[in-house]
Amino acid sequence: MSKYEIPYLTACIRAFGQRFSMTREAAFHYLHEYKGLAFLIEFYDVEHLQSMDETIDDLLIVCQKNGGTLS
């Protein structure tokens, strides 16, 4: 993992939590449970080039496909 990925993951967790009115801790647990964090790590090279809104949209889709219930 590069030194840039951790700040990026942190920013994504914070933005995801803000969009869905969740604490950072709750957002982290949700993204971890429904494979959103794994997605961000695997596809960092593509995702970090998108806007944060597009990244959050992608996370929502990935989490829904893995059983997440947010919409």
Side-chain angles (χ1 to χ4, degrees):
M1 186 173 286
S2 78
K3 67 179 183 177
Y4 301 106
E5 288 180 66
I6 292 185
Y8 174 73
L9 291 173
T10 302
C12 290
I13 292 166
R14 184 178 302 122
F16 189 88
Q18 287 174 341
R19 182 182 291 185
F20 296 103
S21 301
M22 303 167 82
T23 65
R24 280 183 281 185
E25 184 176 347
F28 170 82
H29 287 293
Y30 184 88
L31 291 171
H32 177 69
E33 182 174 351
Y34 297 111
K35 313 292 188 244
L37 291 178
F39 168 79
L40 285 177
I41 292 166
E42 183 175 351
F43 296 103
Y44 170 79
D45 58 332
V46 175
E47 288 296 319
H48 85 280
L49 299 174
Q50 297 189 72
S51 72
M52 188 58 72
D53 284 335
E54 290 174 318
T55 297
I56 301 306
D57 292 343
D58 290 347
L59 283 171
L60 183 60
I61 292 166
V62 168
C63 290
Q64 287 172 338
K65 287 183 179 182
N66 287 295
T69 57
L70 290 178
S71 57

Short mmCIF file of all heavy atoms in Angstrom, two decimals:
data_model
loop_
_atom_site.label_atom_id
_atom_site.label_comp_id
_atom_site.label_asym_id
_atom_site.label_seq_id
_atom_site.Cartn_x
_atom_site.Cartn_y
_atom_site.Cartn_z
N MET A 1 0.86 -1.17 0.00
CA MET A 1 0.00 0.00 0.00
C MET A 1 0.90 1.24 0.00
O MET A 1 1.84 1.32 0.78
CB MET A 1 -0.89 -0.03 1.24
CG MET A 1 -1.91 1.07 1.26
SD MET A 1 -3.11 0.95 2.60
CE MET A 1 -4.12 -0.38 2.03
N SER A 2 0.60 2.17 -0.87
CA SER A 2 1.42 3.38 -0.96
C SER A 2 1.05 4.38 0.13
O SER A 2 -0.01 4.27 0.76
CB SER A 2 1.23 4.04 -2.33
OG SER A 2 0.01 4.75 -2.38
N LYS A 3 1.91 5.34 0.34
CA LYS A 3 1.66 6.34 1.37
C LYS A 3 0.47 7.23 1.03
O LYS A 3 -0.04 7.94 1.88
CB LYS A 3 2.91 7.19 1.62
CG LYS A 3 3.29 8.07 0.45
CD LYS A 3 4.52 8.89 0.78
CE LYS A 3 4.87 9.82 -0.36
NZ LYS A 3 6.01 10.65 -0.03
N TYR A 4 0.01 7.19 -0.19
CA TYR A 4 -1.13 8.00 -0.62
C TYR A 4 -2.47 7.29 -0.41
O TYR A 4 -3.51 7.94 -0.36
CB TYR A 4 -1.00 8.38 -2.09
CG TYR A 4 0.26 9.16 -2.37
CD1 TYR A 4 1.33 8.56 -3.02
CD2 TYR A 4 0.40 10.47 -1.96
CE1 TYR A 4 2.50 9.26 -3.27
CE2 TYR A 4 1.56 11.19 -2.19
CZ TYR A 4 2.61 10.58 -2.84
OH TYR A 4 3.76 11.27 -3.07
N GLU A 5 -2.44 5.99 -0.31
CA GLU A 5 -3.69 5.23 -0.21
C GLU A 5 -4.39 5.42 1.13
O GLU A 5 -5.63 5.49 1.16
CB GLU A 5 -3.44 3.75 -0.47
CG GLU A 5 -3.15 3.47 -1.93
CD GLU A 5 -2.89 2.02 -2.22
OE1 GLU A 5 -3.83 1.22 -2.06
OE2 GLU A 5 -1.76 1.68 -2.60
N ILE A 6 -3.65 5.49 2.22
CA ILE A 6 -4.29 5.62 3.53
C ILE A 6 -5.04 6.94 3.66
O ILE A 6 -6.20 6.95 4.06
CB ILE A 6 -3.28 5.38 4.66
CG1 ILE A 6 -2.89 3.91 4.62
CG2 ILE A 6 -3.87 5.78 6.02
CD1 ILE A 6 -2.00 3.42 5.69
N PRO A 7 -4.44 8.08 3.30
CA PRO A 7 -5.22 9.32 3.34
C PRO A 7 -6.44 9.29 2.42
O PRO A 7 -7.50 9.82 2.74
CB PRO A 7 -4.24 10.41 2.91
CG PRO A 7 -2.90 9.83 3.15
CD PRO A 7 -3.04 8.34 2.99
N TYR A 8 -6.28 8.63 1.27
CA TYR A 8 -7.40 8.50 0.34
C TYR A 8 -8.52 7.67 0.95
O TYR A 8 -9.70 8.05 0.89
CB TYR A 8 -6.92 7.88 -0.98
CG TYR A 8 -8.03 7.59 -1.94
CD1 TYR A 8 -8.67 8.62 -2.62
CD2 TYR A 8 -8.46 6.29 -2.16
CE1 TYR A 8 -9.71 8.34 -3.51
CE2 TYR A 8 -9.49 6.01 -3.05
CZ TYR A 8 -10.11 7.05 -3.71
OH TYR A 8 -11.14 6.78 -4.58
N LEU A 9 -8.18 6.53 1.54
CA LEU A 9 -9.19 5.69 2.19
C LEU A 9 -9.89 6.45 3.31
O LEU A 9 -11.11 6.37 3.45
CB LEU A 9 -8.56 4.42 2.74
CG LEU A 9 -8.05 3.41 1.72
CD1 LEU A 9 -7.29 2.29 2.42
CD2 LEU A 9 -9.17 2.87 0.89
N THR A 10 -9.12 7.19 4.08
CA THR A 10 -9.69 7.98 5.17
C THR A 10 -10.68 9.01 4.63
O THR A 10 -11.77 9.19 5.18
CB THR A 10 -8.57 8.67 5.97
OG1 THR A 10 -7.68 7.67 6.47
CG2 THR A 10 -9.11 9.48 7.12
N ALA A 11 -10.30 9.68 3.56
CA ALA A 11 -11.19 10.68 2.95
C ALA A 11 -12.46 10.03 2.42
O ALA A 11 -13.56 10.58 2.56
CB ALA A 11 -10.46 11.42 1.83
N CYS A 12 -12.34 8.86 1.82
CA CYS A 12 -13.51 8.15 1.29
C CYS A 12 -14.44 7.72 2.42
O CYS A 12 -15.66 7.85 2.30
CB CYS A 12 -13.08 6.93 0.47
SG CYS A 12 -12.29 7.35 -1.09
N ILE A 13 -13.88 7.22 3.50
CA ILE A 13 -14.70 6.81 4.65
C ILE A 13 -15.45 8.01 5.20
O ILE A 13 -16.64 7.94 5.48
CB ILE A 13 -13.83 6.14 5.73
CG1 ILE A 13 -13.29 4.81 5.22
CG2 ILE A 13 -14.62 5.96 7.03
CD1 ILE A 13 -12.16 4.23 6.06
N ARG A 14 -14.74 9.12 5.36
CA ARG A 14 -15.37 10.34 5.88
C ARG A 14 -16.49 10.82 4.95
O ARG A 14 -17.59 11.13 5.41
CB ARG A 14 -14.32 11.43 6.05
CG ARG A 14 -14.87 12.70 6.69
CD ARG A 14 -13.81 13.77 6.89
NE ARG A 14 -12.73 13.26 7.72
CZ ARG A 14 -11.45 13.22 7.34
NH1 ARG A 14 -11.09 13.66 6.15
NH2 ARG A 14 -10.53 12.76 8.15
N ALA A 15 -16.22 10.86 3.65
CA ALA A 15 -17.23 11.32 2.68
C ALA A 15 -18.43 10.39 2.63
O ALA A 15 -19.58 10.83 2.55
CB ALA A 15 -16.60 11.46 1.30
N PHE A 16 -18.19 9.09 2.70
CA PHE A 16 -19.28 8.11 2.70
C PHE A 16 -20.14 8.33 3.94
O PHE A 16 -21.38 8.36 3.85
CB PHE A 16 -18.69 6.69 2.69
CG PHE A 16 -19.72 5.62 2.48
CD1 PHE A 16 -20.07 5.22 1.21
CD2 PHE A 16 -20.33 4.99 3.56
CE1 PHE A 16 -21.01 4.23 1.00
CE2 PHE A 16 -21.26 3.99 3.37
CZ PHE A 16 -21.61 3.60 2.08
N GLY A 17 -19.52 8.50 5.07
CA GLY A 17 -20.26 8.75 6.31
C GLY A 17 -21.08 10.02 6.24
O GLY A 17 -22.23 10.05 6.68
N GLN A 18 -20.51 11.07 5.68
CA GLN A 18 -21.24 12.33 5.56
C GLN A 18 -22.45 12.19 4.66
O GLN A 18 -23.53 12.69 4.97
CB GLN A 18 -20.32 13.43 5.03
CG GLN A 18 -19.32 13.91 6.06
CD GLN A 18 -18.33 14.91 5.48
OE1 GLN A 18 -18.14 15.00 4.27
NE2 GLN A 18 -17.66 15.63 6.37
N ARG A 19 -22.29 11.50 3.54
CA ARG A 19 -23.42 11.35 2.62
C ARG A 19 -24.59 10.61 3.27
O ARG A 19 -25.74 10.92 3.02
CB ARG A 19 -23.02 10.64 1.34
CG ARG A 19 -24.24 10.57 0.40
CD ARG A 19 -24.06 9.88 -0.88
NE ARG A 19 -23.19 10.55 -1.81
CZ ARG A 19 -23.01 10.10 -3.05
NH1 ARG A 19 -23.61 9.01 -3.47
NH2 ARG A 19 -22.19 10.73 -3.87
N PHE A 20 -24.27 9.61 4.09
CA PHE A 20 -25.31 8.79 4.68
C PHE A 20 -25.55 9.06 6.16
O PHE A 20 -26.15 8.25 6.86
CB PHE A 20 -25.00 7.30 4.44
CG PHE A 20 -25.02 6.96 2.98
CD1 PHE A 20 -23.83 6.78 2.28
CD2 PHE A 20 -26.21 6.84 2.30
CE1 PHE A 20 -23.85 6.49 0.93
CE2 PHE A 20 -26.24 6.56 0.94
CZ PHE A 20 -25.05 6.38 0.26
N SER A 21 -25.08 10.22 6.63
CA SER A 21 -25.28 10.65 8.02
C SER A 21 -24.83 9.58 9.02
O SER A 21 -25.56 9.22 9.95
CB SER A 21 -26.74 11.03 8.27
OG SER A 21 -27.11 12.06 7.41
N MET A 22 -23.63 9.07 8.80
CA MET A 22 -23.05 8.05 9.67
C MET A 22 -21.79 8.62 10.32
O MET A 22 -21.15 9.49 9.75
CB MET A 22 -22.63 6.82 8.85
CG MET A 22 -23.73 6.19 8.05
SD MET A 22 -23.08 5.00 6.84
CE MET A 22 -22.87 3.57 7.86
N THR A 23 -21.44 8.09 11.47
CA THR A 23 -20.15 8.44 12.05
C THR A 23 -19.06 7.81 11.20
O THR A 23 -19.33 6.87 10.43
CB THR A 23 -20.02 7.92 13.49
OG1 THR A 23 -20.04 6.48 13.47
CG2 THR A 23 -21.15 8.44 14.39
N ARG A 24 -17.85 8.28 11.37
CA ARG A 24 -16.74 7.67 10.62
C ARG A 24 -16.57 6.21 11.00
O ARG A 24 -16.29 5.37 10.15
CB ARG A 24 -15.44 8.43 10.86
CG ARG A 24 -15.36 9.68 10.00
CD ARG A 24 -14.06 10.37 10.20
NE ARG A 24 -14.15 11.12 11.46
CZ ARG A 24 -13.24 11.93 11.92
NH1 ARG A 24 -12.14 12.10 11.25
NH2 ARG A 24 -13.41 12.57 13.04
N GLU A 25 -16.77 5.92 12.27
CA GLU A 25 -16.64 4.53 12.73
C GLU A 25 -17.70 3.64 12.08
O GLU A 25 -17.40 2.54 11.60
CB GLU A 25 -16.75 4.45 14.25
CG GLU A 25 -16.53 3.07 14.79
CD GLU A 25 -16.55 3.02 16.31
OE1 GLU A 25 -16.51 4.07 16.96
OE2 GLU A 25 -16.63 1.89 16.83
N ALA A 26 -18.94 4.12 12.05
CA ALA A 26 -20.02 3.34 11.43
C ALA A 26 -19.78 3.17 9.94
O ALA A 26 -20.00 2.09 9.38
CB ALA A 26 -21.37 4.02 11.68
N ALA A 27 -19.30 4.23 9.29
CA ALA A 27 -19.00 4.14 7.85
C ALA A 27 -17.89 3.13 7.60
O ALA A 27 -17.97 2.32 6.67
CB ALA A 27 -18.61 5.52 7.31
N PHE A 28 -16.86 3.16 8.44
CA PHE A 28 -15.76 2.20 8.29
C PHE A 28 -16.28 0.77 8.42
O PHE A 28 -15.96 -0.09 7.59
CB PHE A 28 -14.67 2.45 9.34
CG PHE A 28 -13.65 1.35 9.38
CD1 PHE A 28 -12.61 1.32 8.47
CD2 PHE A 28 -13.75 0.32 10.31
CE1 PHE A 28 -11.68 0.30 8.49
CE2 PHE A 28 -12.82 -0.71 10.34
CZ PHE A 28 -11.79 -0.72 9.42
N HIS A 29 -17.08 0.51 9.45
CA HIS A 29 -17.59 -0.85 9.66
C HIS A 29 -18.48 -1.30 8.50
O HIS A 29 -18.40 -2.45 8.06
CB HIS A 29 -18.33 -0.95 10.99
CG HIS A 29 -17.41 -0.93 12.17
ND1 HIS A 29 -16.52 -1.93 12.45
CD2 HIS A 29 -17.24 0.01 13.13
CE1 HIS A 29 -15.83 -1.62 13.53
NE2 HIS A 29 -16.24 -0.44 13.96
N TYR A 30 -19.33 -0.41 8.01
CA TYR A 30 -20.20 -0.73 6.88
C TYR A 30 -19.36 -1.07 5.65
O TYR A 30 -19.58 -2.09 4.99
CB TYR A 30 -21.14 0.44 6.60
CG TYR A 30 -22.13 0.15 5.50
CD1 TYR A 30 -23.35 -0.45 5.80
CD2 TYR A 30 -21.86 0.47 4.18
CE1 TYR A 30 -24.28 -0.73 4.79
CE2 TYR A 30 -22.77 0.20 3.17
CZ TYR A 30 -23.97 -0.40 3.49
OH TYR A 30 -24.88 -0.67 2.49
N LEU A 31 -18.41 -0.19 5.34
CA LEU A 31 -17.58 -0.41 4.14
C LEU A 31 -16.72 -1.66 4.28
O LEU A 31 -16.48 -2.36 3.29
CB LEU A 31 -16.70 0.81 3.89
CG LEU A 31 -17.45 2.06 3.43
CD1 LEU A 31 -16.53 3.27 3.42
CD2 LEU A 31 -18.08 1.85 2.06
N HIS A 32 -16.28 -1.95 5.46
CA HIS A 32 -15.49 -3.17 5.68
C HIS A 32 -16.38 -4.41 5.52
O HIS A 32 -16.01 -5.35 4.81
CB HIS A 32 -14.85 -3.15 7.06
CG HIS A 32 -14.10 -4.39 7.39
ND1 HIS A 32 -12.92 -4.73 6.77
CD2 HIS A 32 -14.36 -5.39 8.25
CE1 HIS A 32 -12.48 -5.87 7.24
NE2 HIS A 32 -13.35 -6.31 8.14
N GLU A 33 -17.54 -4.39 6.16
CA GLU A 33 -18.43 -5.55 6.13
C GLU A 33 -18.92 -5.88 4.72
O GLU A 33 -19.03 -7.05 4.35
CB GLU A 33 -19.64 -5.32 7.05
CG GLU A 33 -20.58 -6.50 7.09
CD GLU A 33 -21.70 -6.32 8.11
OE1 GLU A 33 -21.67 -5.38 8.91
OE2 GLU A 33 -22.62 -7.15 8.07
N TYR A 34 -19.21 -4.85 3.94
CA TYR A 34 -19.79 -5.08 2.61
C TYR A 34 -18.78 -4.88 1.47
O TYR A 34 -19.15 -4.63 0.34
CB TYR A 34 -21.03 -4.20 2.43
CG TYR A 34 -22.10 -4.55 3.43
CD1 TYR A 34 -22.44 -3.69 4.45
CD2 TYR A 34 -22.73 -5.79 3.37
CE1 TYR A 34 -23.40 -4.03 5.39
CE2 TYR A 34 -23.68 -6.15 4.30
CZ TYR A 34 -24.02 -5.27 5.30
OH TYR A 34 -24.96 -5.63 6.24
N LYS A 35 -17.50 -5.04 1.79
CA LYS A 35 -16.40 -5.12 0.81
C LYS A 35 -16.08 -3.83 0.08
O LYS A 35 -15.38 -3.84 -0.93
CB LYS A 35 -16.67 -6.22 -0.23
CG LYS A 35 -17.12 -7.55 0.35
CD LYS A 35 -16.03 -8.24 1.12
CE LYS A 35 -16.45 -9.64 1.51
NZ LYS A 35 -16.57 -9.86 2.91
N GLY A 36 -16.57 -2.69 0.59
CA GLY A 36 -16.24 -1.41 -0.03
C GLY A 36 -14.77 -1.05 0.11
O GLY A 36 -14.15 -0.54 -0.83
N LEU A 37 -14.20 -1.31 1.29
CA LEU A 37 -12.78 -1.00 1.49
C LEU A 37 -11.90 -1.88 0.61
O LEU A 37 -10.92 -1.40 0.03
CB LEU A 37 -12.39 -1.15 2.96
CG LEU A 37 -13.00 -0.10 3.90
CD1 LEU A 37 -12.59 -0.38 5.33
CD2 LEU A 37 -12.62 1.30 3.49
N ALA A 38 -12.23 -3.14 0.51
CA ALA A 38 -11.47 -4.05 -0.35
C ALA A 38 -11.51 -3.55 -1.79
O ALA A 38 -10.50 -3.60 -2.51
CB ALA A 38 -12.00 -5.47 -0.24
N PHE A 39 -12.68 -3.08 -2.22
CA PHE A 39 -12.84 -2.53 -3.56
C PHE A 39 -11.93 -1.32 -3.76
O PHE A 39 -11.24 -1.21 -4.78
CB PHE A 39 -14.30 -2.14 -3.79
CG PHE A 39 -14.54 -1.32 -5.01
CD1 PHE A 39 -14.59 -1.91 -6.26
CD2 PHE A 39 -14.72 0.05 -4.92
CE1 PHE A 39 -14.80 -1.15 -7.40
CE2 PHE A 39 -14.94 0.82 -6.05
CZ PHE A 39 -14.98 0.22 -7.30
N LEU A 40 -11.92 -0.40 -2.79
CA LEU A 40 -11.08 0.79 -2.91
C LEU A 40 -9.60 0.44 -2.98
O LEU A 40 -8.85 1.06 -3.74
CB LEU A 40 -11.31 1.73 -1.73
CG LEU A 40 -12.60 2.53 -1.74
CD1 LEU A 40 -12.70 3.35 -0.46
CD2 LEU A 40 -12.69 3.43 -2.96
N ILE A 41 -9.19 -0.53 -2.20
CA ILE A 41 -7.79 -0.94 -2.21
C ILE A 41 -7.43 -1.60 -3.54
O ILE A 41 -6.41 -1.28 -4.15
CB ILE A 41 -7.49 -1.86 -1.02
CG1 ILE A 41 -7.60 -1.06 0.29
CG2 ILE A 41 -6.11 -2.51 -1.15
CD1 ILE A 41 -7.65 -1.91 1.55
N GLU A 42 -8.28 -2.49 -4.00
CA GLU A 42 -8.00 -3.20 -5.25
C GLU A 42 -7.98 -2.27 -6.46
O GLU A 42 -7.17 -2.43 -7.37
CB GLU A 42 -9.02 -4.32 -5.46
CG GLU A 42 -8.74 -5.15 -6.69
CD GLU A 42 -9.68 -6.33 -6.85
OE1 GLU A 42 -10.46 -6.63 -5.93
OE2 GLU A 42 -9.61 -6.97 -7.92
N PHE A 43 -8.90 -1.31 -6.48
CA PHE A 43 -9.05 -0.44 -7.64
C PHE A 43 -8.62 0.99 -7.37
O PHE A 43 -9.08 1.92 -8.04
CB PHE A 43 -10.49 -0.50 -8.16
CG PHE A 43 -10.88 -1.86 -8.64
CD1 PHE A 43 -11.67 -2.68 -7.87
CD2 PHE A 43 -10.39 -2.34 -9.85
CE1 PHE A 43 -12.01 -3.95 -8.29
CE2 PHE A 43 -10.72 -3.62 -10.29
CZ PHE A 43 -11.53 -4.42 -9.51
N TYR A 44 -7.71 1.17 -6.43
CA TYR A 44 -7.20 2.51 -6.10
C TYR A 44 -6.70 3.24 -7.34
O TYR A 44 -6.98 4.42 -7.52
CB TYR A 44 -6.07 2.40 -5.06
CG TYR A 44 -5.35 3.71 -4.85
CD1 TYR A 44 -5.90 4.70 -4.07
CD2 TYR A 44 -4.11 3.95 -5.46
CE1 TYR A 44 -5.24 5.91 -3.89
CE2 TYR A 44 -3.45 5.14 -5.29
CZ TYR A 44 -4.02 6.12 -4.51
OH TYR A 44 -3.37 7.31 -4.33
N ASP A 45 -5.99 2.54 -8.20
CA ASP A 45 -5.39 3.17 -9.38
C ASP A 45 -6.43 3.85 -10.27
O ASP A 45 -6.13 4.85 -10.92
CB ASP A 45 -4.56 2.17 -10.18
CG ASP A 45 -5.34 0.95 -10.64
OD1 ASP A 45 -6.33 0.58 -9.95
OD2 ASP A 45 -4.96 0.36 -11.66
N VAL A 46 -7.64 3.35 -10.29
CA VAL A 46 -8.72 3.94 -11.09
C VAL A 46 -9.57 4.89 -10.25
O VAL A 46 -9.86 6.01 -10.66
CB VAL A 46 -9.62 2.83 -11.69
CG1 VAL A 46 -10.80 3.43 -12.42
CG2 VAL A 46 -8.81 1.93 -12.60
N GLU A 47 -9.95 4.44 -9.07
CA GLU A 47 -10.89 5.20 -8.24
C GLU A 47 -10.35 6.56 -7.80
O GLU A 47 -11.10 7.52 -7.73
CB GLU A 47 -11.32 4.38 -7.03
CG GLU A 47 -12.24 3.23 -7.35
CD GLU A 47 -13.59 3.65 -7.91
OE1 GLU A 47 -14.18 4.64 -7.42
OE2 GLU A 47 -14.06 2.99 -8.83
N HIS A 48 -9.06 6.64 -7.50
CA HIS A 48 -8.55 7.92 -7.00
C HIS A 48 -8.52 9.01 -8.08
O HIS A 48 -8.35 10.18 -7.77
CB HIS A 48 -7.17 7.75 -6.35
CG HIS A 48 -6.02 7.79 -7.29
ND1 HIS A 48 -5.65 6.71 -8.06
CD2 HIS A 48 -5.15 8.78 -7.58
CE1 HIS A 48 -4.60 7.05 -8.79
NE2 HIS A 48 -4.28 8.30 -8.51
N LEU A 49 -8.74 8.63 -9.32
CA LEU A 49 -8.78 9.61 -10.41
C LEU A 49 -10.18 10.18 -10.61
O LEU A 49 -10.34 11.16 -11.33
CB LEU A 49 -8.30 8.96 -11.71
CG LEU A 49 -6.85 8.45 -11.69
CD1 LEU A 49 -6.55 7.69 -12.97
CD2 LEU A 49 -5.88 9.59 -11.46
N GLN A 50 -11.18 9.60 -9.98
CA GLN A 50 -12.56 10.06 -10.12
C GLN A 50 -12.88 11.10 -9.04
O GLN A 50 -12.17 11.23 -8.06
CB GLN A 50 -13.51 8.88 -9.94
CG GLN A 50 -13.37 7.81 -10.99
CD GLN A 50 -14.47 6.80 -10.87
OE1 GLN A 50 -15.61 7.09 -11.20
NE2 GLN A 50 -14.13 5.62 -10.38
N SER A 51 -14.00 11.77 -9.23
CA SER A 51 -14.46 12.69 -8.19
C SER A 51 -14.89 11.88 -6.97
O SER A 51 -15.19 10.68 -7.08
CB SER A 51 -15.63 13.54 -8.70
OG SER A 51 -16.80 12.74 -8.80
N MET A 52 -14.94 12.53 -5.83
CA MET A 52 -15.36 11.83 -4.62
C MET A 52 -16.81 11.37 -4.75
O MET A 52 -17.14 10.28 -4.29
CB MET A 52 -15.18 12.74 -3.39
CG MET A 52 -15.40 12.03 -2.08
SD MET A 52 -14.33 10.59 -1.78
CE MET A 52 -12.77 11.36 -1.47
N ASP A 53 -17.65 12.16 -5.38
CA ASP A 53 -19.05 11.75 -5.56
C ASP A 53 -19.15 10.47 -6.38
O ASP A 53 -19.93 9.57 -6.06
CB ASP A 53 -19.87 12.86 -6.23
CG ASP A 53 -20.20 14.00 -5.28
OD1 ASP A 53 -20.25 13.76 -4.05
OD2 ASP A 53 -20.41 15.11 -5.78
N GLU A 54 -18.37 10.37 -7.45
CA GLU A 54 -18.37 9.15 -8.27
C GLU A 54 -17.85 7.95 -7.48
O GLU A 54 -18.38 6.84 -7.60
CB GLU A 54 -17.53 9.35 -9.52
CG GLU A 54 -18.15 10.30 -10.52
CD GLU A 54 -17.23 10.61 -11.69
OE1 GLU A 54 -16.02 10.82 -11.48
OE2 GLU A 54 -17.75 10.61 -12.82
N THR A 55 -16.84 8.19 -6.67
CA THR A 55 -16.29 7.11 -5.85
C THR A 55 -17.31 6.63 -4.84
O THR A 55 -17.48 5.41 -4.66
CB THR A 55 -15.00 7.58 -5.14
OG1 THR A 55 -14.02 7.91 -6.13
CG2 THR A 55 -14.45 6.50 -4.21
N ILE A 56 -18.03 7.55 -4.21
CA ILE A 56 -19.05 7.16 -3.24
C ILE A 56 -20.18 6.40 -3.94
O ILE A 56 -20.69 5.41 -3.41
CB ILE A 56 -19.61 8.38 -2.48
CG1 ILE A 56 -18.49 9.11 -1.73
CG2 ILE A 56 -20.72 7.98 -1.52
CD1 ILE A 56 -17.66 8.27 -0.80
N ASP A 57 -20.55 6.82 -5.14
CA ASP A 57 -21.55 6.09 -5.93
C ASP A 57 -21.08 4.66 -6.21
O ASP A 57 -21.85 3.71 -6.08
CB ASP A 57 -21.84 6.80 -7.25
CG ASP A 57 -22.57 8.13 -7.08
OD1 ASP A 57 -23.14 8.38 -5.99
OD2 ASP A 57 -22.54 8.93 -8.04
N ASP A 58 -19.81 4.52 -6.58
CA ASP A 58 -19.26 3.18 -6.84
C ASP A 58 -19.26 2.33 -5.58
O ASP A 58 -19.60 1.15 -5.61
CB ASP A 58 -17.83 3.28 -7.38
CG ASP A 58 -17.75 3.85 -8.78
OD1 ASP A 58 -18.80 3.93 -9.45
OD2 ASP A 58 -16.63 4.20 -9.21
N LEU A 59 -18.89 2.94 -4.45
CA LEU A 59 -18.90 2.21 -3.18
C LEU A 59 -20.30 1.73 -2.83
O LEU A 59 -20.48 0.60 -2.37
CB LEU A 59 -18.38 3.10 -2.04
CG LEU A 59 -16.88 3.29 -1.98
CD1 LEU A 59 -16.54 4.35 -0.95
CD2 LEU A 59 -16.20 1.98 -1.65
N LEU A 60 -21.28 2.56 -3.06
CA LEU A 60 -22.66 2.19 -2.78
C LEU A 60 -23.07 0.97 -3.60
O LEU A 60 -23.65 0.02 -3.07
CB LEU A 60 -23.59 3.37 -3.06
CG LEU A 60 -25.06 3.16 -2.74
CD1 LEU A 60 -25.26 2.84 -1.26
CD2 LEU A 60 -25.85 4.39 -3.12
N ILE A 61 -22.72 0.97 -4.87
CA ILE A 61 -23.05 -0.16 -5.76
C ILE A 61 -22.36 -1.44 -5.29
O ILE A 61 -22.99 -2.50 -5.19
CB ILE A 61 -22.67 0.17 -7.21
CG1 ILE A 61 -23.58 1.27 -7.75
CG2 ILE A 61 -22.74 -1.07 -8.09
CD1 ILE A 61 -23.09 1.91 -9.04
N VAL A 62 -21.07 -1.34 -4.98
CA VAL A 62 -20.32 -2.52 -4.52
C VAL A 62 -20.92 -3.05 -3.22
O VAL A 62 -21.14 -4.27 -3.09
CB VAL A 62 -18.83 -2.15 -4.31
CG1 VAL A 62 -18.10 -3.24 -3.57
CG2 VAL A 62 -18.16 -1.88 -5.65
N CYS A 63 -21.20 -2.17 -2.28
CA CYS A 63 -21.77 -2.62 -1.00
C CYS A 63 -23.15 -3.23 -1.18
O CYS A 63 -23.45 -4.24 -0.54
CB CYS A 63 -21.81 -1.45 -0.02
SG CYS A 63 -20.17 -0.92 0.55
N GLN A 64 -23.97 -2.66 -2.05
CA GLN A 64 -25.29 -3.23 -2.29
C GLN A 64 -25.17 -4.63 -2.89
O GLN A 64 -25.93 -5.53 -2.53
CB GLN A 64 -26.11 -2.33 -3.21
CG GLN A 64 -26.60 -1.08 -2.54
CD GLN A 64 -27.26 -0.10 -3.50
OE1 GLN A 64 -27.02 -0.13 -4.70
NE2 GLN A 64 -28.08 0.79 -2.96
N LYS A 65 -24.22 -4.83 -3.78
CA LYS A 65 -24.02 -6.14 -4.39
C LYS A 65 -23.55 -7.17 -3.37
O LYS A 65 -23.69 -8.37 -3.60
CB LYS A 65 -23.02 -6.06 -5.55
CG LYS A 65 -23.58 -5.40 -6.76
CD LYS A 65 -22.59 -5.39 -7.90
CE LYS A 65 -23.20 -4.75 -9.14
NZ LYS A 65 -22.29 -4.76 -10.28
N ASN A 66 -22.99 -6.69 -2.27
CA ASN A 66 -22.49 -7.59 -1.22
C ASN A 66 -23.39 -7.60 0.00
O ASN A 66 -22.95 -7.96 1.10
CB ASN A 66 -21.06 -7.19 -0.84
CG ASN A 66 -20.07 -7.55 -1.92
OD1 ASN A 66 -19.87 -8.72 -2.20
ND2 ASN A 66 -19.50 -6.55 -2.56
N GLY A 67 -24.65 -7.20 -0.16
CA GLY A 67 -25.62 -7.30 0.91
C GLY A 67 -25.92 -6.03 1.68
O GLY A 67 -26.74 -6.04 2.59
N GLY A 68 -25.25 -4.93 1.34
CA GLY A 68 -25.52 -3.66 2.01
C GLY A 68 -26.91 -3.15 1.69
O GLY A 68 -27.44 -3.41 0.61
N THR A 69 -27.50 -2.41 2.62
CA THR A 69 -28.88 -1.99 2.45
C THR A 69 -29.05 -0.48 2.29
O THR A 69 -30.18 0.00 2.18
CB THR A 69 -29.74 -2.45 3.64
OG1 THR A 69 -29.19 -1.93 4.85
CG2 THR A 69 -29.80 -3.98 3.70
N LEU A 70 -27.96 0.29 2.29
CA LEU A 70 -28.09 1.73 2.08
C LEU A 70 -28.48 2.00 0.63
O LEU A 70 -28.13 1.25 -0.27
CB LEU A 70 -26.77 2.44 2.39
CG LEU A 70 -26.32 2.50 3.83
CD1 LEU A 70 -24.97 3.18 3.93
CD2 LEU A 70 -27.34 3.23 4.69
N SER A 71 -29.19 3.11 0.43
CA SER A 71 -29.52 3.49 -0.95
C SER A 71 -29.58 4.99 -1.07
O SER A 71 -29.58 5.71 -0.15
CB SER A 71 -30.84 2.88 -1.38
OG SER A 71 -31.88 3.26 -0.52
#
